[in-house]
Amino acid sequence: MKETPLSNCERRFLLRAIEEKKRLDGRQTYDYRNIRISFGTDYGCCIVELGKTRVLGQVSCELVSPKLNRATEGILFFNLELSQMAAPAFEPGRQSDLLVKLNRLLERCLRNSKCIDTESLCVVAGEKVWQIRVDLHLLNHDGNIIDAASIAAIVALCHFRRPDVSVQGDEVTLYTPEERDPVPLSIHHMPICVSFAFFQQGTYLLVDPNEREECVMDGLLVIAMNKHREICTIQSSGGIMLLKDQVLRCSKIAGVKVAEITELILKALENDQKVRKEGGKFGFAESIANQRITAFKMEKAPIDTSDVEEKAEEIIAEAEPPSEVVSTPVLWTPGTAQIGEGVENSWGDLEDSEKEDDEGGGDEAIILDSIKMDTGVEVSDIGSQDAPIILSDSEEEEMIILEPDKNPKKIRTQTTSAKQEKAPSKKPVKRRKKKRAAN
């Protein structure tokens, strides 16, 4: 593991805060971070949160052949994994020194302390025994991994249920949970690790160090103890020399902390078992707190809807009848209208672009004259509002001629020469015609 280096300024700041008996998260010297335990839907699955350090524990079992030197005892196996999801400093694909040290400490704490009755895991002596495997995954690293891992391991073992079996002669029958209730493991005691960090060559002591405090500590002392104040294992690392009084002081503090944590574990197991028996909701999804915005939440008030129809009829009767005046359309400009009172309609006003087109009417007149000369017909005033205009979807030039019988006829002519001569000005003519037609 490659630890994130701290700058000299950060190290001095942390050490000065420790000398003044202050911690970054506001705790006192001997305070533990908040511990939260949640269980999954399956037996033997749990998540333990020690502050921001999170560990997932999962217990599984299978029938295997026993060891030759212990034919009547089951097998316990512990495995702790440190992934980059927990911290970028962890290197994937290889076992670091920290991982090896943590796995060995867990085995001494849980297996060598005989907290689980391994003889009760024997099915057939010398042939079949239960192998209990405890997998621990570090989900987030914020210091003190060993304490969180030990709590997660013992909680998962207490919560686990193995399938029931029966032996008739040489035949071993394994029952499903639907056929027979699973059997819990036989646990004698619950050893829990408590870590102590020393600073300034043992001058200052902190309980449950976080990640920043671990980076500047001089030594670490881990004591595994149960609620009966029996020390299961003890380990000192960092090369610091500790006095006998310091070790005794740490053991007394560990006894108090272990008793509090054990009570918390038993209460969490009892609550989970109660919920399962009552048929309530359980699992990780139910343990997540609902984060809702309740700033504008209003209390529910009862509403009487018995006489809603009578009140509605009274309101309608007392209301003034609607006015019988029918508004007449107001014609502002041809093609627009306004009904009722309101702001003056400005749809009929010419836009700036249209005004610019009006200024350039001379060019359009020249184009129309040239069309007259080529076709030999007279073209009516396009802007006339009295004559109806008939539009066509054809791409050819359309000419409109006014005749005395009030029925305008549409003559379609080819203006090849005019198109060739006035090709650059062809687009403005079409745009002008379309705008006039819309009006």
Side-chain angles (χ1 to χ4, degrees), residues 107-151:
E107 289 182 358
R108 293 208 313 269
C109 173
L110 298 172
R111 186 172 61 187
N112 297 348
S113 63
K114 304 292 183 181
C115 65
I116 298 179
D117 186 7
T118 54
E119 293 184 358
S120 63
L121 301 177
C122 178
V123 179
V124 178
E127 295 182 5
K128 293 291 182 181
V129 296
W130 285 107
Q131 177 180 340
I132 306 299
R133 178 186 176 94
V134 183
D135 291 299
L136 302 172
H137 301 268
L138 183 63
L139 303 179
N140 189 46
H141 174 43
D142 190 34
N144 201 3
I145 300 175
I146 185 60
D147 288 15
S150 66
I151 296 173

Side-chain angles (χ1 to χ4, degrees), residues 387-401:
I389 299 174
I390 301 175
L391 300 179
S392 174
D393 296 335
S394 175
E395 296 182 356
E396 300 176 354
E397 291 291 339
E398 296 179 357
M399 310 304 297
I400 300 170
I401 302 175

Side-chain angles (χ1 to χ4, degrees), residues 206-227:
L206 291 181
V207 178
D208 182 24
N210 57 26
E211 184 184 11
R212 292 289 180 179
E213 293 169 348
E214 286 181 351
C215 294
V216 297
M217 68 181 180
D218 295 334
L220 182 68
L221 177 65
V222 180
I223 298 177
M225 184 182 293
N226 56 23
K227 66 178 182 179

